Amino acid sequence: KAKAAAKLGVDASKITLEQDEDVLDTWFSSGLFPFSTFGWPDEGHLDYNGFYPNTLLETGHDILFFWVARMVMMGMELTGKLPFRTVYLHAMVRDKYGRKMSKSLGNVIDPMEVIDGCSLEHLHDKLSK
């Protein structure tokens, strides 16, 4: 409350915090994704039977623990099946400091600028900021 009050410039007594009860946590929902998108818990659903389990997950190494491990644990616990047999790790695009490209860090190139046709100099300028 104190942090919110300071940020908003109001007394903490004026702030009421309430947690929405109908929100799936991102990390939790990622574990459900491989099978919940195919009609689970209806194990008779055509999509569930046709596409789960899958054979391959393609991802970056940075989310192995956060997402992939949860997918495996939740798949095994809730369906009794591994959600995929193979995990293919792709390369990571990094900036000149070795940091992962990220919108929140502001070290990315907007693909629309490239599509619309900006100059190489403009892209260099953007990445050097």
Side-chain angles (χ1 to χ4, degrees):
K1 268 186 161 180
K3 188 175 179 181
K7 185 172 185 172
L8 297 171
V10 298
D11 188 78
S13 64
K14 303 252 186 227
I15 294 179
T16 303
L17 300 176
E18 182 179 315
Q19 183 173 349
D20 190 332
E21 297 176 11
D22 193 31
V23 175
L24 265 179
D25 174 81
T26 300
W27 301 120
F28 180 79
S29 62
S30 67
L32 299 173
F33 183 79
F35 48 91
S36 65
T37 55
F38 296 129
W40 179 88
D42 177 7
E43 293 186 9
H45 194 282
L46 288 175
D47 288 342
Y48 182 84
N49 286 314
F51 300 107
Y52 188 80
N54 209 319
T55 55
L56 173 74
L57 175 72
E58 180 266 332
T59 188
H61 69 84
D62 58 327
I63 64 166
L64 278 175
F65 175 73
F66 298 109
W67 287 34
V68 180
R70 283 174 172 79
M71 289 177 181
V72 169
M73 290 185 283
M74 300 214 36
M76 291 299 295
E77 179 65 26
L78 298 173
T79 71
K81 301 173 188 173
L82 279 171
F84 33 79
R85 290 189 298 257
T86 303
V87 177
Y88 178 83
L89 299 177
H90 62 245
M92 300 295 292
V93 177
R94 300 192 177 274
D95 68 9
K96 67 182 180 181
Y97 303 107
R99 299 175 306 178
K100 184 174 99 170
M101 300 295 266
S102 162
K103 288 185 285 187
S104 60
L105 288 175
N107 63 351
V108 295
I109 296 171
D110 183 349
M112 292 310 295
E113 289 181 330
V114 176
I115 291 168
D116 292 338
C118 66
S119 69
L120 182 58
E121 183 179 276
H122 174 77
L123 294 176
H124 281 228
D125 289 344
K126 213 171 161 158
L127 292 176
S128 65
K129 292 179 182 179

